[in-house]
Amino acid sequence: MAVLKVKFTKTKRCKLAQILWILNWISVITGIILFSLGLFLKVEIRKKNEIMYNREIHSVPNMLIAVGVIACGINFLGGKICYDCSDSNKFHRWKLIMLPYIICTFFFTFCVLVGALMCYTMKNELEESLYLGLKEALKFYKDTDIPGRCFLKKTVDLLQMEFRCCGNNGFRDWFEIQWISMRYLDVSNKEVQDRLKSNVDGKYLMDSVPFSCCNIYSPRPCIQHQLTNNSAHYSYEFQTEELNVWMTGCRQALLEYYMQIMQSIGFTVLIIWLFELSVLTGVRYLQTALENVLLQGDPDSESEGWLLENGFVETARTNFNIIKNLGKSNQINATRHYKAPE
């Protein structure tokens, strides 16, 4: 039994073809939107590429860009098909193409859905990439005179000021690394020597943060050195005082920023997927209705259109048997062409 059967008169078939022609051209525009969204996301990720560990994070924007380009091509062809099918006499030229076109478009709409879901499911991958990337960036923050790393200080400082964040997980991350280069330390100074000796790795560690961690909205002059030393500052209590450095870690700030962008893009792509699916449904009805007109032999007669000629289970079983028989025929052909060595 056919699934979701609908009857079409000649006038309804013509109107359906005309509407689908318009919708396919709108779908070309949605393809351009998909391409633009992917390009925008790729540019945004590239801006912070220096602090991302996993360069394969570009899989989502690349997917959207590819789907956008394919959407333009598929829907352009779909528009041409639907325009010609408004006249049932012109259906002959597309009769053999329409079913493969519908199957290809179905898989394409599935790719659109995958692209939408990827925008929501890559949070963990993005978070790990940011964590490892920021960890490396903070580690080499001091290497301003080493080629390949000299840009990291500027990158991290601009990042902390732009996103109002400090460190990887928080400002305490700076306490665990040496972020001042040895070239700017007076190693003859006893205090510097004692601090270097007190550390197993011989690093100059201190309870301080770079200037870019300072909260510009704090009424008090920035306290960026000796943050845990209450006696070093007037009227200051480390445990209770609201510090005038940014409290949010840069990993969290960047993660929220990118997830907000990707969730917005994901929602847009999901709407486009529903639109593409509705257009595909209409094309399927048009194809089956016109094929039934050809079987009846009267272009002015009423015809039926459907999504599936048989039920879901029966259709799945038929397709499975077709694939199974193709596999058997390939095995038989391979056996016939095989010649045992003499």
Side-chain angles (χ1 to χ4, degrees):
M1 182 179 177
V3 177
L4 299 176
K5 187 189 297 183
V6 178
K7 287 188 176 182
F8 293 93
T9 61
K10 180 183 178 181
T11 305
K12 287 183 178 180
R13 288 195 301 269
C14 183
K15 285 184 177 179
L16 177 62
Q18 291 171 348
I19 291 170
L20 289 172
W21 173 69
I22 295 171
L23 292 179
N24 270 285
W25 278 108
I26 295 173
S27 294
V28 172
I29 297 173
T30 62
I32 296 172
I33 292 172
L34 283 172
F35 177 84
S36 302
L37 289 173
L39 196 62
F40 168 74
L41 183 58
K42 192 174 186 70
V43 170
E44 285 298 308
I45 291 175
R46 276 191 177 276
K47 286 180 181 178
K48 302 294 181 286
N49 208 38
E50 296 164 349
I51 53 170
M52 288 190 181
Y53 184 78
N54 183 8
R55 300 297 187 265
E56 295 178 2
I57 207 76
H58 291 274
S59 58
V60 174
N62 289 341
M63 175 79 166
L64 294 177
I65 289 170
V67 166
V69 172
I70 295 170
C72 292
I74 282 181
N75 290 303
F76 179 82
L77 177 60
K80 174 62 177 172
I81 291 173
C82 293
Y83 180 80
D84 285 348
C85 288
S86 58
D87 182 0
S88 57
N89 294 320
K90 294 182 180 179
F91 176 65
H92 292 278
R93 70 178 70 172
W94 298 108
K95 184 178 183 297
L96 297 176
I97 296 175
M98 278 196 79
L99 185 58
Y101 168 80
I102 289 171
I103 294 171
C104 291
T105 307
F106 174 78
F107 284 108
F108 159 72
T109 53
F110 178 74
C111 291
V112 175
L113 177 61
V114 170
L117 296 177
M118 284 175 70
C119 291
Y120 289 98
T121 57
M122 68 174 295
K123 181 179 179 180
N124 293 335
E125 184 181 357
L126 179 61
E127 185 172 12
E128 183 182 7
S129 177
L130 288 170
Y131 173 76
L132 296 174
L134 283 166
K135 186 178 180 181
E136 288 293 300
L138 266 61
K139 179 181 177 182
F140 300 123
Y141 177 88
K142 67 180 186 301
D143 298 338
T144 54
D145 54 345
I146 298 178
R149 299 177 187 172
C150 54
F151 61 89
L152 284 174
K153 180 183 182 300
K154 179 183 177 182
T155 299
V156 173
D157 283 334
L158 289 174
L159 172 72
Q160 293 188 144
M161 289 187 288
E162 179 185 355
F163 287 89
R164 301 176 184 180
C165 58
C166 186
N168 193 343
N169 298 309
F171 68 93
R172 291 178 181 272
D173 291 333
W174 292 107
F175 299 177
E176 301 171 2
I177 60 171
Q178 179 180 333
W179 55 271
I180 298 179
S181 175
M182 291 298 293
R183 66 187 295 188
Y184 301 116
L185 293 174
D186 182 6
V187 291
S188 62
N189 185 286
K190 187 177 185 305
E191 183 181 347
V192 174
Q193 291 177 357
D194 291 341
R195 192 175 290 274
L196 290 170
K197 290 177 182 178
S198 65
N199 184 265
V200 177
D201 298 324
K203 295 180 180 179
Y204 186 78
L205 304 182
M206 52 185 179
D207 55 346
S208 303
V209 296
F211 77 97
S212 53
C213 281
C214 293
N215 184 345
I216 59 175
Y217 299 103
S218 174
R220 181 170 186 163
C222 184
I223 297 176
Q224 65 180 104
H225 298 291
Q226 296 183 318
L227 268 70
T228 59
N229 187 356
N230 293 331
S231 61
H233 312 285
Y234 174 74
S235 184
Y236 178 78
E237 181 65 38
F238 172 69
Q239 299 294 340
T240 59
E241 186 83 10
E242 184 178 346
L243 301 180
N244 55 3
V245 295
W246 301 119
M247 304 300 291
T248 306
C250 290
R251 174 178 56 85
Q252 184 61 33
L254 282 168
L255 184 65
E256 290 176 359
Y257 172 74
Y258 280 115
M259 287 310 299
Q260 186 177 7
I261 291 176
M262 285 192 287
Q263 285 172 5
S264 300
I265 291 175
F267 179 76
T268 305
V269 176
L270 202 59
I271 296 298
I272 291 174
W273 170 72
L274 290 172
F275 179 75
E276 293 284 351
L277 196 62
S278 64
V279 174
L280 176 62
T281 303
V283 173
R284 174 59 174 167
Y285 272 117
L286 180 64
Q287 179 238 342
T288 51
L290 288 172
E291 282 190 348
N292 287 329
V293 167
L294 290 181
L295 291 174
Q296 293 170 12
D298 182 6
D300 297 327
S301 65
E302 189 179 73
S303 64
E304 292 181 338
W306 50 70
L307 289 182
L308 295 174
E309 187 174 0
N310 302 308
F312 289 104
V313 177
E314 190 174 346
T315 302
R317 188 183 298 115
T318 302
N319 290 333
F320 177 76
N321 289 332
I322 291 171
I323 295 170
K324 189 176 179 182
N325 291 332
L326 284 173
K328 286 182 178 179
S329 63
N330 288 335
Q331 288 180 356
I332 292 170
N333 290 333
T335 304
R336 286 176 178 175
H337 288 90
Y338 176 76
K339 183 179 180 181
E342 296 179 358

